[in-house]
Amino acid sequence: MTTEPIESTGWARFTDLSPVIHATTRWLLSAYPPLPGFLSFRLAEEQVRPAVALAARLRYPTDLDAGLLLLTGTGGAGRLDWLTGSDVHPTPGEPWRAEVDEVLASWAATLLTDADLVSAAIAVAPVGEDLDRLTTPDARDLAAAADLRHPERMATITALHLTELEETLAAAGYPGW
């Protein structure tokens, strides 16, 4: 296993975090649902998935970091459900919920609500994905993901690990953090 930083060409690497990224994206979309309809769901997903992927690159920048996550586990969605009230009507038999990473959910929520932090995160850990809907959402994107983009609505989740995100950006030498 290598400890080299993840290349900016995408997620093709020895330690694959795509199940964690998928589960965390799914959790954010279920806890903060987009407007009704397939198009709204897809537009919101196209904003959330890159935010989670960018958060993962910041949080787990090497194969060693990602391997440790996969070895120790993510912690699941339990605390996030409790904080958002999503645990009131739990749906049994959803094994993907065990793959949700609380820190990634918190960092992605922060990236969705703070354009300055998105810019800083991209400068520190560029991803091999299209980030246009995350960085420059149009009116349809914003309408589809209104709750996910609303700083006050997301405050409970963003506050969980904001300091850690800011410390990560500062440690990477990004000016202003």
Side-chain angles (χ1 to χ4, degrees), residues 97-156:
R97 299 173 69 70
E99 297 291 327
V100 174
D101 184 306
E102 178 182 305
V103 176
L104 295 187
S106 176
W107 286 14
T110 302
L111 295 173
L112 286 163
T113 59
D114 189 325
D116 291 336
L117 283 174
V118 170
S119 297
I122 291 170
V124 169
V127 295
E129 282 194 46
D130 180 8
L131 299 175
D132 289 345
R133 291 201 191 284
L134 176 61
T135 58
T136 53
D138 64 21
R140 289 185 321 168
D141 295 326
L142 293 173
D147 283 347
L148 289 158
R149 291 286 194 162
H150 196 283
E152 291 175 16
R153 178 81 169 98
M154 299 297 286
T156 302

Side-chain angles (χ1 to χ4, degrees), residues 17-31 45 48-49 52 74 76-77 80-81 94-102 104-105:
L17 291 180
S18 58
V20 176
I21 292 168
H22 175 76
T24 305
T25 298
R26 187 171 175 182
W27 183 85
L28 283 163
L29 289 168
S30 65
E45 182 181 41
V48 175
R49 187 178 10 81
V52 176
T74 61
L80 292 168
D81 287 340
E94 293 182 316
W96 63 268
R97 299 173 69 70
E99 297 291 327
V100 174
D101 184 306
E102 178 182 305
L104 295 187

Side-chain angles (χ1 to χ4, degrees), residues 19-86:
V20 176
I21 292 168
H22 175 76
T24 305
T25 298
R26 187 171 175 182
W27 183 85
L28 283 163
L29 289 168
S30 65
Y32 299 93
L35 292 175
F38 180 75
L39 179 59
S40 291
F41 179 84
R42 292 294 295 152
L43 290 173
E45 182 181 41
E46 289 300 315
Q47 297 170 69
V48 175
R49 187 178 10 81
V52 176
L54 183 56
R57 284 190 54 95
L58 288 168
R59 177 80 171 152
Y60 308 108
T62 67
D63 273 336
L64 180 59
D65 295 317
L68 289 172
L69 169 70
L70 298 177
L71 180 66
T72 61
T74 61
R79 180 173 176 215
L80 292 168
D81 287 340
W82 179 77
L83 287 169
T84 60
S86 301

